[in-house]
Amino acid sequence: MCIRHLGFVLLFWFPAELHGQSETRSCAAPVLVHGLFTPKQDIYPHGAKLTYTCNNGHKPADQGWWVMSTCNNGLWSPPPQCIDESSCVQPDDVPNTIYSPSPTGWYENGTKIRVKCNKGYETKNNLLTGTCKDGAWRSMPVCEKSADSCSEPPQLPHAVIINQTHQEVFAVDSEVMYQCEDGYTTEQGESMKSVTCISGNWTEGPTCRSSSSSGSSVSTVPTVPISNCGRHPIVQNAVVVQSDLMSLKYRCYTFYSLEGPEIVKCYSNGMWSDKPTCKVAYCVLNTKGHDVLKDVGRKYIKNGETVEMECQKLKFYWVTTHKAEVQCNDGEIQLGSCCSSTDAVFTNCE
Ligand SMILES: *[C@@H]1O[C@H](CO)[C@@H](O)[C@H](O)[C@H]1NC(C)=O
Ligand SMILES: *[C@@H]1O[C@H](CO)[C@@H](O)[C@H](O)[C@H]1NC(C)=O
Ligand SMILES: *[C@@H]1O[C@H](CO)[C@@H](O)[C@H](O)[C@H]1NC(C)=O
């Protein structure tokens, strides 16, 4: 009894001690050309933070004009560096794209990067490269779900999917396996059935029936307090905005629209009811692709929204700024004509 106790204590004490020794290297002050940082010290302990900014004509190699860096076991993370203003930092996270990150963390003016779409996604217009020009990314590809990919396979009564990976989109030909709850079997009397993604739809999943009673015992499972179902189901790009005894309410992030039930409940068999999905609901306007517009890079517009964009000076006699209305309809950009902004209502259009 006594020895077993001692072993227990040693097991916990030993790794903690090793851990403590291996991760405490301090950092020297960074060498920052074209910038300044604070606080200034000779040595910074592990975990210490500093912030830095860059001189005119330069910018941090990260988003924002000031950046916090942390001493992590002898190295600054992210490494403080000031780059030329015409260089680009890592592109904003574009959903579902993959590109190989630059080893330095930034890209010189003129650099092209090749972007790939995640499995199951494809680019619109087959655009595959983005270009760094004068400090901004131009013509960055947009990856969208391919028409022949499938969304999450449906949640079916008395069945779970035994695959570990949780994804929003499954490429064509993906296969996942449903397993019936204990005591339930498929129509064929099996405990498992696989479904395959074929041109955008899943093949039919199992109907799991109680193996003792042969009657239909499905649809009317009573709901119980949500604490019986354990962890809240994860809905990609959504948050739980309301949670009470019997239900959860989900809301999608801005730029996503909700499909399916907003309210999720817990069945007495410990399964959650169907959960919603959040679909991308925005357009990316790339002014580079529209000669009439002044090039200001990329702009995200929500479905149904209209924004005004400044036009290039197309006619020599234009004395005032002309603007065009740009609307996003179901992911498609609609560009109006360029109108003079002197009138309150846009009558002076060309
Ligand atoms: C960036 O590169 C483009 C051509 O790729 C060039 O026209 C432009 O002048 C460069 N900008 C700077 C600030 O060097
Ligand atoms: C799911 O699991 C089945 C059986 O283990 C396997 O054949 C299938 O490839 C898996 N599917 C995915 C998408 O990982
Ligand atoms: C996939 O499902 C949709 C909606 O249920 C249907 O309109 C479409 O025809 C189906 N496609 C195939 C290939 O079965």
Side-chain angles (χ1 to χ4, degrees):
M1 196 60 167
C2 224
I3 288 167
R4 266 171 69 181
H5 256 111
L6 187 60
F8 191 72
V9 168
L10 274 174
L11 258 175
F12 273 83
W13 172 78
F14 224 120
E17 189 65 15
L18 284 175
H19 190 77
Q21 277 174 1
S22 65
E23 293 221 18
T24 50
R25 274 195 291 143
S26 45
C27 296
V31 179
L32 187 63
V33 191
H34 308 301
L36 54 96
F37 60 90
T38 183
K40 273 220 154 84
Q41 290 163 216
D42 291 333
I43 297 288
Y44 298 76
H46 169 73
K49 293 179 191 309
L50 59 76
T51 48
Y52 76 95
T53 184
C54 299
N55 304 338
N56 269 348
H58 291 81
K59 62 184 182 184
D62 259 282
Q63 302 285 356
W65 65 263
W66 80 94
V67 171
M68 182 172 283
S69 179
T70 307
C71 171
N72 185 13
N73 196 21
L75 294 175
W76 288 106
S77 166
Q81 43 183 347
C82 291
I83 59 176
D84 197 89
E85 221 158 36
S86 68
S87 302
C88 295
V89 300
Q90 300 278 6
D92 285 339
D93 269 344
V94 183
N96 310 312
T97 52
I98 314 168
Y99 59 90
S100 30
S102 153
T104 55
W106 58 277
Y107 305 79
E108 261 178 56
N109 182 29
T111 308
K112 286 186 191 307
I113 57 169
R114 201 173 159 75
V115 178
K116 271 181 22 184
C117 293
N118 275 334
K119 227 177 149 200
Y121 293 82
E122 62 192 8
T123 52
K124 229 178 173 177
N125 317 332
N126 279 332
L127 271 177
L128 286 170
T129 50
T131 308
C132 170
K133 181 156 183 281
D134 295 331
W137 288 104
R138 314 291 163 133
S139 72
M140 281 296 279
V142 177
C143 293
E144 295 173 338
K145 180 174 167 254
S146 327
D148 60 1
S149 300
C150 294
S151 313
E152 266 185 348
Q155 191 170 16
L156 300 175
H158 306 292
V160 290
I161 287 173
I162 55 174
N163 292 74
Q164 291 295 311
T165 50
H166 180 277
Q167 349 174 165
E168 255 183 288
V169 167
F170 291 79
V172 64
D173 289 336
S174 298
E175 188 187 334
V176 296
M177 189 72 86
Y178 282 94
Q179 171 150 39
C180 293
E181 183 186 354
D182 276 355
Y184 289 76
T185 53
T186 66
E187 309 88 305
Q188 290 79 24
E190 314 269 345
S191 64
M192 296 205 246
K193 181 175 180 181
S194 71
V195 295
T196 308
C197 170
I198 297 172
S199 48
N201 291 335
W202 291 102
T203 54
E204 201 177 328
T207 307
C208 296
R209 293 213 172 87
S210 167
S211 27
S212 48
S213 77
S214 51
S216 60
S217 61
V218 198
S219 58
T220 52
V221 190
T223 57
V224 294
I226 58 169
S227 54
N228 292 285
C229 276
R231 288 183 49 201
H232 296 174
I234 291 168
V235 178
Q236 300 283 328
N237 303 312
V239 283
V240 173
V241 288
Q242 194 184 313
S243 164
D244 56 34
L245 184 66
M246 299 298 286
S247 68
L248 295 170
K249 186 173 170 185
Y250 285 85
R251 184 183 300 150
C252 297
Y253 295 155
T254 322
F255 292 120
Y256 289 83
S257 69
L258 187 127
E259 284 183 14
E262 182 185 42
I263 304 282
V264 173
K265 295 185 170 185
C266 175
Y267 290 131
S268 60
N269 61 6
M271 299 264 306
W272 290 102
S273 65
D274 284 352
K275 61 183 187 174
T277 53
C278 295
K279 295 275 151 64
V280 169
Y282 62 80
C283 300
V284 185
L285 171 70
N286 185 357
T287 48
K288 182 100 188 153
H290 298 277
D291 287 343
V292 298
L293 296 180
K294 200 168 158 188
D295 191 10
V296 292
R298 288 188 307 152
K299 193 166 173 63
Y300 290 83
I301 310 169
K302 280 193 219 172
N303 265 354
E305 264 186 8
T306 304
V307 297
E308 275 177 16
M309 301 295 296
E310 198 173 323
C311 297
Q312 307 254 36
K313 190 168 160 119
L314 297 175
K315 301 280 162 63
F316 72 92
Y317 52 83
W318 284 8
V319 283
T320 54
T321 309
H322 280 54
K323 290 184 175 172
E325 291 197 341
V326 182
Q327 195 172 22
C328 171
N329 281 324
D330 281 334
E332 296 285 333
I333 293 271
Q334 280 173 5
L335 180 60
S337 43
C338 289
C339 301
S340 161
S341 53
T342 44
D343 306 311
V345 281
F346 292 139
T347 45
N348 193 6
C349 295
E350 313 225 2

